[in-house]
Amino acid sequence: MKDTYHREINYLRISVTDRCNLRCIYCMPPEGVQWIPHEEILNLEEIEAVVKAAALVGVKKVRLTGGEPLLRKGLDDLVRNIARIPAIDDISLTTNGLLLPYCVKALKEAGLNRVNISLDTLRKDRFREITRNGSLDDVWRGIDVAFEYGLTPVKLNTVVIRGFNDDEVVAIAGLTLKRPLHIRFIELMPIGPSNSWTTGRFVPAEEIMSRINDQLGQLVPAKISAGNGPAQYYRLKDAPGTIGFITSMTEHFCRSCNRLRLTATGSLRPCLYDGLEVDLKTPLREGVGINEIADLILSAVALKPDRHHMLDGWQDKRAMSQIGG
Ligand code: SAM
Ligand code: SF4
């Protein structure tokens, strides 16, 4: 399906839960967020119905995210049921990786294709600080099992924060020299309730890139085998892995945006940064059919703005974990 600006929309990101086992400083306020009551969250059958409807109107790729998606009970059943929808050819997951060793086998057997794992630092003390008490060793175990079970290409998401982990960008980029890891440096976005925390901590991708160029050698443009997404990818000489930059703030990539988001509470959000949402939960619970849901999805696509206006301020008071990152 095409939107008003002739962009092909074929990718659905689904927040399967607002809950999380970490409290990353850029994602959640120190006191945490109030979890949404279970009955307000879409159940697995409802999520599957939305994917079936989305597949009818051209969605081919699905990403499961959250909150922390691995906390959602029955996630492997959901993956299995989505994998049975013929039009869907790629199912991926964005996770903090902590619980991956416990569920990787079931998810792989269910049909999960690949994972993105968030990793902002290589230092254990700093990891505890950024996540407010997570264990870095657990993330590495998650990364290792992702390779072991072939959930590749394995991508790592690194949010760069000035005065916090920006001194590690070269070391993190250096990981790609040793393993086929695909690092994606993400510009910090001033969103959610932690919004005020981000002031002065923003690092533009250009600065990260020039530090890598200076210390590890010239980056050359590269392509990876699956899901190029909004990142622009590069490679260091002879490196098995790649380095990508997600320039949400300095160079918006809205021109090539192909995505829709489904929030945990069942609203379709045409753009992460724009408040517009189309409620699918109410019609689903009133018993409408897949074709009517497909029509609502088309109406959400028609609302997709040409570009985000994040620099004008973020109005939504919800955390990234509640909307679905
Ligand atoms: N819990 C999972 C995880 O951490 O990978 C999935 C959900 S999380 C909200 C998805 C991604 O959003 C993570 O890579 C996280 O680093 C990123 N994120 C959260 N808040 C952000 C912010 N303010 N700016 C940029 N990225 C952010
Ligand atoms: Fe949880 Fe992911 Fe947000 Fe960190 S970034 S608090 S792991 S949802």
Side-chain angles (χ1 to χ4, degrees), residues 5 22 33 75 78 122 126 168 206 211 231 259 312:
Y5 302 95
L22 293 180
V33 291
L75 191 71
L78 178 66
L122 304 178
R126 208 172 253 181
E168 290 190 71
E206 210 182 312
R211 284 200 213 173
R259 60 188 59 188
D312 301 344

Side-chain angles (χ1 to χ4, degrees), residues 26-27 65-69 94-96 118 157 159 186-189 191 320 325:
Y26 49 76
C27 181
T65 179
E68 176 44 45
T94 298
T95 171
N96 60 33
S118 298
N157 287 350
V159 178
I186 303 176
E187 288 180 342
L188 179 66
M189 296 180 285
I191 65 177
M320 182 87 150

Side-chain angles (χ1 to χ4, degrees), residues 119-153:
L119 179 74
D120 299 328
T121 176
L122 304 178
R123 284 176 39 179
K124 291 183 184 184
D125 55 336
R126 208 172 253 181
F127 185 82
R128 264 197 307 276
E129 215 177 322
I130 291 183
T131 60
R132 301 198 182 99
N133 221 13
S135 153
L136 182 59
D137 289 339
D138 290 345
V139 183
W140 280 115
R141 272 192 281 280
I143 294 170
D144 289 342
V145 296
F147 276 110
E148 200 181 313
Y149 281 83
L151 293 175
T152 54

Side-chain angles (χ1 to χ4, degrees), residues 177-228:
L177 291 164
K178 298 181 207 125
R179 289 174 93 172
L181 279 167
H182 303 279
I183 313 286
R184 291 135 43 91
F185 289 111
I186 303 176
E187 288 180 342
L188 179 66
M189 296 180 285
I191 65 177
S194 326
N195 186 336
S196 56
W197 184 85
T198 59
T199 312
R201 300 195 188 259
F202 175 74
V203 185
E206 210 182 312
E207 179 180 329
I208 305 167
M209 201 168 168
S210 82
R211 284 200 213 173
I212 297 170
N213 277 332
D214 289 349
Q215 295 187 48
L216 295 176
Q218 194 64 32
L219 286 165
V220 291
K223 270 212 173 298
I224 56 175
S225 59
N228 266 314

Side-chain angles (χ1 to χ4, degrees), residues 16-37:
V16 295
T17 178
D18 63 318
R19 287 160 170 72
C20 192
N21 44 0
L22 293 180
R23 299 283 182 279
C24 300
I25 42 185
Y26 49 76
C27 181
M28 292 203 192
E31 66 280 11
V33 291
Q34 184 78 37
W35 301 138
I36 301 168

